[in-house]
Amino acid sequence: MNRHLSRIADHLPFTWVDGPGNRIVFFFQGCNFDCTACHNPQTIPLESVHAREWSVDDLLHRVRESMPYITGITVSGGEATVQHEFLVELFTRIHNDEEFAHLTTFIDSNGFVTREIWDALAPVTDGIMLDLKA
C-alpha cells in the first residue's frame, strides 16, 4: 500500500552512468540547494508544471518494465532526500519484495540532510553517491 506520493521530474529506464551496473534512475523534483552550475536546474524548485506525482507502485511499474536490463535503482534529482519518507517506503518495498530483492538501491545526493534522515535511509540503501559542494 502506498502511503506517500512523490514529485518526479523524469526517469531514465536504462543507464550505466548513475551508479554501478545497469540501472533505472528517477529524478526527484526539488532541491535544498540552488547551485549555479546545477546539472539538472529544472529540478531545483519543489513545484514544477513538468513534474508528476507518482506513487511507489507507479515507480515499481517502471522498474518492472526495465528489470530484464537492470541491476539496480538510483534516485537522483534535484535532491531525492528532500522526499525521504517516500524513499524509505520505495527502498523498503524493493528490499522486502522477492521480485525486486536482487536490485541494489543507490542515492545520488548532496548530503545535506539531518542525521535522523540518514539513519532512516541507511537500512534500506545499498549505496550513496555523494556530490560534495565546494
Side-chain angles (χ1 to χ4, degrees):
M1 181 166 135
N2 293 306
R3 292 180 297 172
H4 300 103
L5 292 175
S6 184
R7 288 167 304 284
I8 304 294
D10 203 356
H11 83 287
L12 294 174
F14 179 85
T15 178
W16 56 86
V17 298
D18 290 295
N22 302 323
R23 313 186 72 73
I24 187 170
V25 61
F26 295 100
F27 297 94
F28 283 61
Q29 187 69 40
C31 186
N32 49 4
F33 284 6
D34 188 12
C35 302
T36 57
C38 180
H39 186 69
N40 299 319
Q42 72 280 6
T43 65
I44 293 173
L46 191 56
E47 301 294 330
S48 170
V49 296
H50 302 291
R52 292 185 32 214
E53 283 197 337
W54 289 23
S55 68
V56 168
D57 285 339
D58 293 332
L59 269 65
L60 293 179
H61 174 75
R62 298 302 193 285
V63 170
R64 270 187 203 93
E65 292 177 338
S66 294
M67 282 224 324
Y69 314 105
I70 62 171
T71 58
I73 298 150
T74 297
V75 294
S76 187
E79 175 56 43
T81 62
V82 169
Q83 300 181 61
H84 63 276
E85 295 98 350
F86 184 89
L87 290 185
V88 170
E89 183 179 344
L90 174 64
F91 285 2
T92 299
R93 291 265 311 267
I94 289 167
H95 282 284
N96 291 338
D97 188 323
E98 193 173 302
E99 178 183 13
F100 303 109
H102 67 284
L103 298 173
T104 59
T105 55
F106 274 66
I107 301 172
D108 186 358
S109 176
N110 64 29
F112 192 67
V113 294
T114 66
R115 170 80 186 254
E116 291 78 23
I117 291 172
W118 285 126
D119 287 345
L121 288 166
V124 293
T125 303
D126 296 310
I128 298 167
M129 298 175 295
L130 196 58
D131 183 9
L132 298 177
K133 307 295 181 179

